[in-house]
């Protein structure tokens, strides 16, 4: 797949949601990755840093800004598409002829249709203009796709317009690669600890109050018994 720049994708882990966007600076050819604590890539990112790209990968920062793309959701669980568990979204370019292997003997083109999903067409020619030798709907609409290894995925959407397709801002943090859900999880842990302490304190107070009432009732009963004995003597 040819991954797409300037597309906001979402992910979730342990019930916490975040969004990501990868951008490329046209002047420096540097790739930036930003993480947000919402599902819209809006506001100030929780993390923004430059990332190293593998030498075997080709990075093109000067291509068409709004070329079409598809977004699919990849699930961490196998053999099921459970939105309640961990998943990541992947945005890749469609409509481009690309080699399927290092030998360059087979080529493919992905197409995206909101009513069908993502279709893969295979060709033997490098220009992908002849009749395809095979066509398969790889990511159908409203259908969980499971491959031979049990990897589950589902079609999300087609698109062409980018989110903030401009030169990205300089990184706001390069030395602390924290993600938003860890910070949120820490806050929840602290709040939960406070709640437990409060509950324990209230339970102790209720117990002490009941104990004090019992002691007062016992003393009262003893005093009443002594008074009854004195009256009997008189």
């Amino acid at each position: 797949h040819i991954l797409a720049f300037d597309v906001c994708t979402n992910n979730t882990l342990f019930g916490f949601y975040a969004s990501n966007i990868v951008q490329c600076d046209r002047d420096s050819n540097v790739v930036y990755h930003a993480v947000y604590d919402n599902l819209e890539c809006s506001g100030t990112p929780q993390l923004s840093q430059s990332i190293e790209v593998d030498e075997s990968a080709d990075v093109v920062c000067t291509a068409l800004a709004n070329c079409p793309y598809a977004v699919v959701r990849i699930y961490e669980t196998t053999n099921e598409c459970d939105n309640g568990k961990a998943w990541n979204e992947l945005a890749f370019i469609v409509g481009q002829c690309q080699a399927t292997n290092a030998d360059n003997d087979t080529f493919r083109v992905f197409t995206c249709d909101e009513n069908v999903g993502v279709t893969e067409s295979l060709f033997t020619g490098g220009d992908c203009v002849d009749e395809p030798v095979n066509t398969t709907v790889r990511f159908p609409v409203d259908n969980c796709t499971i491959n031979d290894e049990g990897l589950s995925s589902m079609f999300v959407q087609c698109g062409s317009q980018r989110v903030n397709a401009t030169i990205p801002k300089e990184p706001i943090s390069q030395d602390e690669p924290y993600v938003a859900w860890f910070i949120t999880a820490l806050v929840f842990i602290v709040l939960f600890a406070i709640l437990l302490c409060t509950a324990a304190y209230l339970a102790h107070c209720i117990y002490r109050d009941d104990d004090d009432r019992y002691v007062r009732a016992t003393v009262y009963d003893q005093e009443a018994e002594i008074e009854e004995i004195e009256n009997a003597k008189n």
Side-chain angles (χ1 to χ4, degrees), residues 97-170:
C97 184
Q98 54 186 287
T100 61
N101 53 46
D103 296 331
N104 292 329
D105 55 7
T106 307
F107 300 83
R108 67 184 175 189
V109 173
F110 289 106
T111 56
C112 192
D113 188 306
E114 291 284 358
N115 298 316
V116 178
V118 178
T119 302
E120 180 189 40
S121 299
L122 296 178
F123 301 84
T124 55
D127 49 12
C128 299
V129 295
D130 295 331
E131 201 63 29
V133 296
N134 185 46
T135 299
T136 305
V137 180
R138 288 298 183 190
F139 306 102
V141 174
D142 298 329
N143 190 18
C144 181
T145 302
I146 302 174
N147 65 10
D148 295 337
E149 288 75 30
L151 181 65
S152 307
S153 57
M154 181 172 286
F155 170 78
V156 177
Q157 66 175 355
C158 304
S160 60
Q161 298 297 319
R162 298 296 201 270
V163 177
N164 188 28
T166 59
I167 297 176
K169 297 179 181 179
E170 289 298 317

Side-chain angles (χ1 to χ4, degrees), residues 25-117:
D25 192 325
R26 290 174 177 264
D27 295 332
S28 63
N29 219 46
V30 175
V31 177
Y32 294 94
H33 177 218
V35 179
Y36 299 81
D37 60 355
N38 55 68
L39 297 180
E40 302 172 350
C41 296
S42 61
T44 302
Q46 299 295 312
L47 166 68
S48 178
Q49 63 177 0
S50 59
I51 58 177
E52 295 184 2
V53 180
D54 191 278
E55 294 181 355
S56 61
D58 293 327
V59 178
V60 181
C61 293
T62 57
L64 182 65
N66 286 322
C67 56
Y69 62 87
V71 178
V72 297
R73 184 169 294 174
I74 310 298
Y75 295 85
E76 297 295 331
T77 53
T78 57
N79 299 314
E80 64 174 349
C81 295
D82 188 349
N83 287 325
K85 297 181 180 178
W87 48 262
N88 293 280
E89 290 180 350
L90 176 70
F92 57 93
I93 301 297
V94 297
Q96 299 291 318
C97 184
Q98 54 186 287
T100 61
N101 53 46
D103 296 331
N104 292 329
D105 55 7
T106 307
F107 300 83
R108 67 184 175 189
V109 173
F110 289 106
T111 56
C112 192
D113 188 306
E114 291 284 358
N115 298 316
V116 178

